[in-house]
Amino acid sequence: MLRPASTRWFEVLCPRRESVRTVTELARTGAVEIEIRDRVCGDFSLEYLSEGLGVYEALRVRYARYWERARLRRKMLVESPDVVLERALARIGAWRHEADPLIDILQSCEEELTRLKWLAQVIGKIIDSPLDFGAVARSGPVLGTFCTILPRDARPQLPDDVIPRQIPWGDEYCAMILGPRDRLDAVKRLVQAAKGRVIERPPWLKGDARDSLARIGARREFLSTRVVYLKAELDTLFDEYDLGDTLGEVAGLAWFAEHVGCLERAGELLVWVTGWTDDLGGERLRAALDSGRTRALLRLTNPPPGKRPPQILDNPPWMRPFELFARALGVPGSDEADPTPVLIVVVPLLFGYMFGDVGQGAVLVGVGLWLQRRWPEARLMVLGGGSAMVFGVLFGSLFGREDIIPALWMHPLHDPLTLLGVPLLFAVVLLSLGHLLSGLSALWRGELGRWLMQDLGFLVLYLGLIATVFRPGLGWVALLGLAWYLIGAFMVHRALLGGLAAIGHLLESGVQILVNTLSFARVGAFALAHSALSVAVVTMADAVPLWAGILIMILGNLLIILLEGLVVSIQTTRLVLFEFFNRFLQGTGRVFRPLPAPPPIVREAVQDAA
């Protein structure tokens, strides 16, 4: 578990006409990253379909609204891609021939519905006003009217021969405009240039405001019914031309062109599908190819010269939420240690120490259990909350109160020096462990001898300095470490200049590790802050009547959970990333980027599922 695993190189030989289906089945596993052996693309297997796919994309943009209403099904691609695309475009063309007139009528109805909705709202605003809408409706032939809705701060410069009549309209400016009919088109263009909406009165709308609203309501009801029937006709046409299967197949071709596109030619009729897989035994890949009934041959072999394999973290599922800390720096290289097994202990300990409370920790556990079904990383909250409960028992704290359960260790505010000192000792252990992990990396790189001669001496020097603080008689350990480092550096570099550089590195690293150690004092400081905030809430609750005290306790604990939980999480992450990881982890590995699965067009019709 400590060493990241390298993905394996796979090669699949398949017929060219089945390349899309083969890659699709492999992508469904989520275990392959496609990479061709040669830097020059050997065979863009859909190049001869690029024009047809371009036509499909243009059609999809235009008709997606109507296609998405229907049931799209993904069929197994058993024919050559050019045959599939040619048939699909022919079916879409035949469908368009009958669907376009219906779509034109549908869009006209929808546009009229929108205009009538706005007009009904305008008339509704003036129904009880002195404005005589019946007179407006009877205007002409010299005069004409229309309504406009403009942004609040928009005021186009209207000609002097038009009269605007403002209508109350929320946060926007609404007006009815009266003017010479032959000048209104120019006024409408001014309104539209100011990002306003033009609402015209249809010629059939006569009568006063109330009569007009009744007419509009009847017309809208008629149009809504017609829209329903038009959409039903389009759905029927969709099924008649079998576009569910057709569009599903073409969507698979478009996915292949976007995410793969380039494969290596293996002859006139065969192609290679090559790349990396985290299925190190190949079982999932073989099962996918078999279930897809592909005529493909799979082999796992050594990668071509010069190819750098992506790295994967080989941890059991219950550890994987902790991988996000290492992934924050990238992915550990093949010669770097994966810190995940260490973090399952370190992270909960740091969090729980700073957030020690039985009740508040239980709340975090409950929330984490509720969230982890949809968000696996919520397991971090469960473990952090569990650790907080353990330290809450040690600190004798239950929802901030220290007078309910006895402290098995200490109350934080009663012994602040001990609370601050323990994290410093923990820091010494953790940073020393990080230094040992760098030695493990040196072993994997074949540089263990150099690490033993030089870096191990630095670790002895560090531990000797720490020991001297508690027992001055142990100062000889620090001197031994210093001599060890200097002699080892001279033996490694075998040059005076290299030795001087090693001394400079010693000074820099020494100051850095001492600063890193002192940084862990913030763990105790935040534990004190958490305890002090809890005491403040309890003090306020005890000073007021019972009902108010209960309310203060509830709101105060919610504030502590939200505020302190966020702060403690940030500090835990910071200490792990910048104090612990910089001992051994650089994140030099190549990230494994599996091929995304094809679009999930699997909404089968009921009769298909049966």
Side-chain angles (χ1 to χ4, degrees):
M1 291 188 293
L2 283 175
R3 187 170 191 177
S6 295
T7 53
R8 295 199 64 181
W9 180 264
F10 75 91
E11 297 176 350
V12 173
L13 184 66
C14 68
R16 187 179 187 217
R17 63 180 294 175
E18 296 183 11
S19 58
V20 176
R21 179 156 62 100
T22 301
V23 174
T24 300
E25 296 302 328
L26 292 173
R28 291 185 194 281
T29 66
V32 297
E33 177 181 339
I34 301 298
E35 183 176 352
I36 60 173
R37 282 181 289 199
D38 194 353
R39 291 182 179 273
V40 180
C41 193
D43 175 32
F44 181 36
S45 62
L46 293 186
E47 184 178 21
Y48 59 101
L49 300 180
S50 58
E51 182 178 354
L53 287 174
V55 173
Y56 161 75
E57 287 297 330
L59 292 173
R60 185 178 65 83
V61 171
R62 181 177 177 183
Y63 295 106
R65 173 189 170 192
Y66 309 102
W67 292 347
E68 288 171 357
R69 285 178 45 82
R71 297 181 182 273
L72 304 188
R73 300 175 292 274
R74 179 173 300 286
K75 292 178 62 178
M76 185 179 298
L77 197 65
V78 296
E79 297 177 284
S80 179
D82 54 344
V83 174
V84 170
L85 184 58
E86 182 179 358
R87 182 180 63 239
L89 294 179
R91 285 186 179 177
I92 293 173
W95 172 83
R96 289 180 59 199
H97 182 72
E98 296 190 47
D100 279 347
L102 297 176
I103 290 174
D104 291 339
I105 299 173
L106 174 62
Q107 291 176 343
S108 176
C109 291
E110 290 174 336
E111 290 171 1
E112 186 177 356
L113 275 170
T114 301
R115 291 195 302 267
L116 291 177
K117 181 189 74 171
W118 288 112
L119 184 58
Q121 291 182 7
V122 171
I123 297 175
K125 295 288 186 180
I126 64 174
I127 195 169
D128 296 322
S129 72
L131 179 63
D132 185 355
F133 188 78
V136 171
R138 294 190 298 271
S139 63
V142 177
L143 296 179
T145 62
F146 73 92
C147 292
T148 180
I149 300 175
L150 290 156
R152 172 60 63 181
D153 56 350
R155 290 292 188 276
Q157 188 65 36
L158 300 179
D160 295 334
D161 52 359
V162 300
I163 302 174
R165 175 69 177 270
Q166 186 171 356
I167 299 170
W169 197 266
D171 295 334
E172 295 178 298
Y173 174 80
C174 179
M176 183 173 292
I177 295 178
L178 173 69
R181 188 176 296 277
D182 59 351
R183 300 290 303 275
L184 289 185
D185 287 341
V187 178
K188 293 173 185 177
R189 287 193 292 271
L190 287 174
V191 168
Q192 291 169 341
K195 299 181 179 179
R197 293 187 292 272
V198 173
I199 305 170
E200 299 191 67
R201 178 183 57 82
W204 51 263
L205 190 60
K206 303 294 183 180
D208 61 15
R210 298 185 187 278
D211 184 54
S212 296
L213 282 178
R215 290 173 178 265
I216 290 174
R219 179 65 177 174
R220 290 177 66 186
E221 184 177 354
F222 166 76
L223 291 174
S224 298
T225 302
R226 194 174 188 188
V227 165
V228 171
Y229 281 107
L230 287 169
K231 288 182 176 179
E233 288 187 60
L234 287 173
D235 292 344
T236 300
L237 277 179
F238 189 94
D239 292 334
E240 286 179 358
Y241 284 95
D242 197 22
L243 290 191
D245 291 336
T246 299
L247 294 176
E249 291 175 332
V250 181
L253 295 179
W255 164 84
F256 182 89
E258 178 183 358
H259 295 284
V260 184
C262 187
L263 295 176
E264 180 183 349
R265 184 187 296 272
E268 286 297 322
L269 302 177
L270 300 175
V271 293
W272 285 109
V273 181
T274 57
W276 306 96
T277 178
D278 63 352
D279 180 19
L280 304 183
E283 292 82 4
R284 283 186 290 162
L285 301 188
R286 292 188 180 91
L289 294 175
D290 291 342
S291 65
R293 297 196 295 274
T294 60
R295 295 179 295 172
L297 298 176
L298 168 70
R299 70 176 180 182
L300 300 177
T301 184
N302 294 326
K307 292 292 184 182
R308 181 186 174 203
Q311 305 300 127
I312 55 174
L313 302 182
D314 187 18
N315 295 303
W318 59 275
M319 278 191 189
R320 287 173 190 163
F322 290 90
E323 292 179 356
L324 67 87
F325 292 96
R327 294 185 187 279
L329 296 181
V331 174
S334 59
D335 56 358
E336 293 182 308
D338 173 15
T340 303
V342 179
L343 295 181
I344 63 173
V345 176
V346 171
V347 169
L349 281 178
L350 290 174
F351 185 92
Y353 194 90
M354 290 185 280
F355 199 79
D357 187 280
V358 176
Q360 295 165 8
V363 172
L364 292 181
V365 170
V367 174
L369 291 173
W370 177 62
L371 290 176
Q372 70 178 2
R373 296 180 181 178
R374 291 175 293 179
W375 186 42
E377 284 75 15
R379 296 173 192 169
L380 296 174
M381 188 181 297
V382 175
L383 294 177
S387 178
M389 293 178 66
V390 172
F391 279 99
V393 173
L394 296 177
F395 294 157
S397 177
L398 176 63
F399 285 116
R401 302 201 69 97
E402 297 182 349
D403 54 358
I404 298 178
I405 60 175
L408 297 185
W409 182 20
M410 64 174 174
H411 291 298
L413 294 179
H414 295 173
D415 196 355
L417 292 181
T418 301
L419 195 71
L420 292 170
V422 170
L424 294 178
L425 295 177
F426 180 79
V428 174
V429 175
L430 186 62
L431 297 182
S432 300
L433 177 60
H435 213 75
L436 292 175
L437 290 177
S438 72
L440 185 61
S441 299
L443 172 64
W444 293 334
R445 292 194 304 269
E447 299 177 357
L448 181 61
R450 177 172 180 167
W451 185 87
L452 291 173
M453 286 189 291
Q454 187 170 339
D455 293 344
L456 184 56
F458 178 82
L459 178 59
V460 173
L461 172 60
Y462 168 65
L463 295 176
L465 290 175
I466 299 299
T468 303
V469 174
F470 298 96
R471 292 195 178 184
L474 295 177
W476 63 270
V477 177
L479 294 176
L480 173 63
L482 178 61
W484 188 334
Y485 179 89
L486 294 176
I487 295 172
F490 179 78
M491 294 178 64
V492 168
H493 297 286
R494 297 189 179 278
L496 179 60
L497 186 60
L500 293 176
I503 294 175
H505 177 72
L506 172 64
L507 295 174
E508 178 186 4
S509 300
V511 172
Q512 185 185 59
I513 197 170
L514 291 176
V515 171
N516 293 155
T517 304
L518 293 175
S519 291
F520 277 79
R522 74 184 65 211
V523 176
F526 278 102
L528 284 172
H530 178 265
S531 180
L533 186 57
S534 299
V535 169
V537 170
V538 171
T539 302
M540 289 190 293
D542 290 343
V544 297
L546 179 60
W547 67 267
I550 294 174
L551 182 61
I552 289 175
M553 286 295 295
I554 293 174
L555 295 179
N557 275 277
L558 286 177
L559 176 65
I560 292 173
I561 291 172
L562 294 175
L563 179 62
E564 287 286 327
L566 177 62
V567 171
V568 167
S569 299
I570 292 173
Q571 293 303 320
T572 300
T573 303
R574 184 195 180 283
L575 289 170
V576 167
L577 294 183
F578 301 111
E579 315 298 343
F580 177 48
F581 281 1
N582 65 2
R583 302 288 102 205
F584 63 95
L585 184 61
Q586 300 296 323
T588 59
R590 175 182 164 185
V591 178
F592 177 62
R593 304 186 187 279
L595 182 66
I601 307 178
V602 292
R603 294 187 298 151
E604 298 288 349
V606 176
Q607 61 269 25
D608 296 332

